[in-house]
Amino acid sequence: MELVVVFPVVLLLLVGVIDYGRLFYTSVTVSNAARAGAEYGQFDLGHQVDTTGMRTTGQADGSDAGNVTVTARKYCECGGASNPSCTLCSGVAPEVYIEVTATKSVSMYLPYPGLQNPVTVTRTATFRSQ
């Protein structure tokens, strides 16, 4: 008799733990994908940025979580101010950054109050290149 009362609660808890585990695993995998793409992009390729290579590396690293969307870009700053053309800043080389963002949506098995479904996991890795 007690099993009939406890079983649905235990099953609900089990599904919740599985959902949380999937979300946590995806979060770590997406974070690693962004970092792998940024690490690939930080290598100086004759002042050219291989955004295709960064995206490919990030997607390959995040393939454990399924289809991960990866975007990559290079940007420059002069003393904290944006420098889109990456030109010299008062005779000094600009600070060059590589940024890779990885995104993956995770569909939950159950609806949870206060949590949208699917949950979008987005992680960004930024490395200073020069």
Side-chain angles (χ1 to χ4, degrees):
M1 180 71 168
E2 294 84 15
L3 182 63
V4 172
V5 174
V6 174
F7 184 71
V9 174
V10 170
L11 186 63
L12 204 66
L13 285 171
L14 181 64
V15 171
V17 167
I18 290 170
D19 266 348
Y20 177 77
R22 289 177 51 239
L23 188 60
F24 184 75
Y25 177 79
T26 301
S27 176
V28 170
T29 303
V30 167
S31 180
N32 289 343
R35 182 178 300 275
E39 285 175 355
Y40 177 87
Q42 83 177 12
F43 294 106
D44 186 23
L45 302 171
H47 301 291
Q48 295 178 351
V49 176
D50 182 13
T51 56
T52 303
M54 291 189 303
R55 285 193 310 269
T56 302
T57 301
Q59 288 170 340
D61 194 81
S63 64
D64 290 345
N67 189 16
V68 176
T69 303
V70 179
T71 60
R73 73 179 183 123
K74 167 190 162 184
Y75 67 94
C76 298
E77 290 184 353
C78 290
S82 179
N83 181 357
S85 61
C86 291
T87 57
L88 291 178
C89 310
S90 302
V92 179
E95 299 168 353
V96 180
Y97 295 92
I98 301 297
E99 181 179 88
V100 176
T101 302
T103 306
K104 170 77 173 139
S105 290
V106 180
S107 296
M108 306 304 265
Y109 292 133
L110 295 176
Y112 298 99
L115 191 62
Q116 63 182 359
N117 195 8
V119 177
T120 302
V121 178
T122 302
R123 298 292 182 263
T124 300
T126 305
F127 288 174
R128 184 169 173 188
S129 181
Q130 294 177 353

